[in-house]
């Protein structure tokens, strides 16, 4: 039998396991627009409780949970502070302008991570007719473009303090928040104390086919439920999908440590190759690296493709490898062998 394809393009490429599919098949369901789907409710309550927040809202995607939260926290003529490569700004189709009519203040982070001083300096002076009103700060943890980098809880606490003092809301794009929790040993409940809202993706490292959940106060989530409806995101017997999320929260969180170990192993193998310029520190499951100019990114990707390995280009000469549920130790060995077999065309 041919070796299976190794897909390192993203942790979204995973397929549900037989056990997850069985949980989905067996889910009790109802009409969730009537708020009568017991499995959706169980997922929303379980996720909210895990982070010490009051309520949750199940949505089809992380783009939708982020954009709903931003809309709920802002109004036209207001402004959102975020890092310049934040997913909410860079990869959500300009949704902040489209849905919320809000402006964005972009800050340069250190591997995507901001400091409290940077955030504070970006807040607009109040009562000045020229400026939008700063309303919201969005953080991303882990940071995708930053190579899966993690905030320290101290920095989060400092940024939360700036937000409180200036009457701003604080939203977390936690697409990979469980990777951050597992890698750092931080407590989920601390996040509920610091953030007004949290978006959690279930279809990345947690391995479900679909879905994200938005967490916040009861009042906030009530407002978000209406915004989800106007975006066309009200789903009916969504419990079949929510069941995959419940299953993942129970079974697929601790195992993220294996993805992180494999990412470190790949980062170390990459650092040994003569054609690799540098590798960003692999804190979680993302490995971002730069190829030297003598190894064009498209030849590198073509070589891997010939070995049945897929990866994505992430800017000029930059490549991203992502480890996930469907990448095992034997595959990591195959990747290492393919890396060693490749030498620069002199
Ligand atoms: C994947 C991702 C999202 C959400 O993406 P969807 O594909 O819309 O679910 C949000 N933020 C970050 C950082 C992501 O990596």
């Amino acid at each position: 039998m041919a070796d299976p394809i190794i897909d390192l393009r993203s942790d979204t490429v995973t397929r549900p396991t037989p056990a997850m599919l069985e949980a989905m098949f067996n889910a009790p369901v109802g009409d969730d627009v009537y708020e009568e789907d017991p499995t959706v409710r169980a997922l929303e309550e379980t996720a909210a409780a895990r982070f010490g927040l009051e309520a949750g809202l199940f949505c089809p995607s992380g783009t939708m949970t982020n954009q709903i939260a931003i809309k709920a926290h802002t109004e036209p003529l207001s402004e959102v502070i975020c890092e310049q490569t934040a997913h909410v700004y860079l990869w959500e189709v300009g949704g902040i302008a489209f849905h919320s009519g809000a402006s964005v203040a972009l800050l340069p982070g250190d591997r995507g991570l901001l400091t409290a001083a940077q955030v504070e300096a970006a807040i607009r002076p109040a009562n000045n007719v020229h400026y939008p009103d700063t309303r919201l700060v969005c953080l991303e943890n882990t940071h995708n473009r930053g190579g899966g980098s993690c905030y320290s809880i101290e920095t989060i606490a400092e940024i939360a303090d700036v937000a409180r003092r200036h009457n701003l809301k604080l939203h977390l794009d936690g697409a990979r928040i469980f990777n951050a929790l597992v890698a750092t040993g931080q407590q989920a409940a601390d996040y509920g104390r610091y953030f007004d809202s949290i978006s959690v993706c279930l279809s990345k490292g947690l391995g479900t086919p679909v879905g994200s959940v938005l967490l916040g106060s009861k009042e906030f989530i009530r407002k978000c439920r209406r915004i989800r409806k106007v975006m066309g995101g009200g789903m009916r017997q969504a419990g079949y999908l929510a069941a995959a999320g419940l299953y993942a929260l129970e079974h697929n969180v601790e195992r993220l440590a294996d993805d992180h170990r494999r990412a470190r192993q790949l980062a170390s193998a990459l650092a040994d190759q003569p054609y690799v310029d540098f590798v960003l520190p692999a804190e979680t499951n993302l490995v971002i690296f730069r190829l030297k100019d003598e190894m064009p990114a498209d030849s590198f990707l073509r070589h891997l493709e010939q070995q049945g390995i897929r990866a994505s280009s992430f800017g000029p000469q930059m490549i991203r490898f992502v480890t996930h549920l469907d990448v095992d130790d034997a595959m990591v060995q195959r990747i290492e062998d393919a890396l060693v077999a490749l030498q620069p065309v002199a």
Side-chain angles (χ1 to χ4, degrees), residues 175-217:
R176 296 187 179 83
I177 183 59
F178 282 108
N179 294 90
L181 294 174
V182 167
T184 61
Q186 293 163 356
Q187 299 305 306
D190 282 338
Y191 281 75
R193 289 199 286 122
Y194 294 125
F195 288 93
D196 296 289
S197 55
I198 301 178
S199 159
V200 180
C201 283
L202 303 165
S203 59
K204 298 256 162 95
L206 296 189
T208 79
V210 177
S212 286
V213 60
L214 179 60
L215 309 173
S217 70

Side-chain angles (χ1 to χ4, degrees), residues 61-63 66 87 92 140 142 144 173 175-176 201 203-204 212:
S61 71
T63 297
N66 279 332
H87 196 283
E92 298 185 8
E140 186 174 313
T142 68
N144 186 343
D173 177 354
R176 296 187 179 83
C201 283
S203 59
K204 298 256 162 95
S212 286

Side-chain angles (χ1 to χ4, degrees), residues 22 40 46 51 83 138 142-143 147 152 161 216 222 241 274 318:
E22 187 172 325
V40 171
T46 303
F51 286 88
E83 204 273 337
C138 288
T142 68
H143 201 282
S152 72
D161 181 58
R222 204 173 304 123
L241 300 173
M318 301 292 292

Side-chain angles (χ1 to χ4, degrees), residues 3-331:
D3 285 333
I5 297 282
I6 304 172
D7 198 340
L8 303 175
R9 288 172 303 165
S10 175
D11 42 9
T12 55
V13 299
T14 57
R15 312 234 164 105
T17 57
M20 182 180 278
L21 284 170
E22 187 172 325
M24 296 169 73
F25 263 118
N26 294 329
V29 297
D31 188 326
D32 184 52
V33 173
Y34 294 155
E35 299 183 42
E36 287 173 3
D37 188 303
T39 308
V40 171
R41 274 203 205 164
L43 171 65
E44 291 170 344
E45 284 166 13
T46 303
R50 184 94 54 117
F51 286 88
L53 287 164
E54 286 177 351
L57 186 68
F58 183 53
C59 293
S61 71
T63 297
M64 191 184 276
T65 42
N66 279 332
Q67 294 297 325
I68 288 175
I70 292 166
K71 173 115 188 115
H73 285 309
T74 62
E75 59 208 58
L77 311 186
S78 66
E79 188 163 72
V80 179
I81 294 174
C82 68
E83 204 273 337
Q84 64 191 7
T85 60
H87 196 283
V88 294
Y89 171 73
L90 199 57
W91 279 324
E92 298 185 8
V93 211
I96 297 178
F98 185 75
H99 298 294
S100 301
S103 171
V104 186
L106 296 174
L107 303 179
D110 175 14
R111 288 190 300 129
L113 308 180
L114 299 176
T115 65
Q118 275 183 299
V119 169
E120 188 151 35
I123 298 169
R124 304 284 194 165
N127 302 318
N128 184 316
V129 72
H130 299 91
Y131 296 126
D133 290 322
T134 307
R135 276 291 149 73
L136 175 66
V137 180
C138 288
L139 303 184
E140 186 174 313
N141 198 23
T142 68
H143 201 282
N144 186 343
R145 199 83 195 179
S149 49
C150 301
Y151 274 98
S152 72
I153 206 73
E154 291 75 21
T155 301
I156 289 174
E158 286 162 18
I159 293 173
D161 181 58
V162 167
R164 297 271 140 86
R165 281 193 282 107
H166 292 270
N167 215 11
L168 310 178
K169 299 296 183 190
L170 186 58
H171 172 72
L172 176 66
D173 177 354
R176 296 187 179 83
I177 183 59
F178 282 108
N179 294 90
L181 294 174
V182 167
T184 61
Q186 293 163 356
Q187 299 305 306
D190 282 338
Y191 281 75
R193 289 199 286 122
Y194 294 125
F195 288 93
D196 296 289
S197 55
I198 301 178
S199 159
V200 180
C201 283
L202 303 165
S203 59
K204 298 256 162 95
L206 296 189
T208 79
V210 177
S212 286
V213 60
L214 179 60
L215 309 173
S217 70
K218 277 195 180 131
E219 192 189 340
F220 171 80
I221 292 297
R222 204 173 304 123
K223 184 174 182 186
C224 291
R225 192 176 291 280
R226 299 193 75 220
I227 300 171
R228 184 185 68 175
K229 193 74 177 83
V230 77
M231 288 182 176
M235 298 181 286
R236 303 297 178 170
Q237 286 73 32
Y240 291 117
L241 300 173
L246 275 171
Y247 178 91
L249 287 177
E250 181 137 342
H251 296 97
N252 290 352
V253 173
E254 278 83 32
R255 63 152 306 285
L256 292 170
D258 297 332
D259 297 343
H260 300 169
R261 174 177 53 76
R262 292 180 183 123
R264 282 195 301 273
Q265 203 175 326
L266 289 173
S268 146
L270 282 161
D272 287 342
Q273 303 314 315
Y275 52 83
V276 170
D277 185 11
F278 64 81
V279 187
L280 292 185
E283 290 184 45
T284 53
N285 69 324
L286 310 183
V287 186
I288 294 181
F289 55 98
R290 189 182 182 283
L291 297 166
K292 289 185 182 159
D293 292 335
E294 57 265 35
M295 175 62 77
D298 52 352
S299 340
F300 177 78
L301 290 173
R302 209 172 326 113
H303 165 80
L304 290 185
E305 189 80 45
Q306 282 159 1
Q307 314 291 317
I309 300 162
R310 294 198 183 128
S312 9
S313 118
F314 222 59
Q317 290 296 91
M318 301 292 292
I319 305 285
R320 188 182 76 167
F321 283 179
V322 186
T323 57
H324 51 72
L325 256 169
D326 294 350
V327 177
D328 62 19
D329 287 325
M331 291 174 171

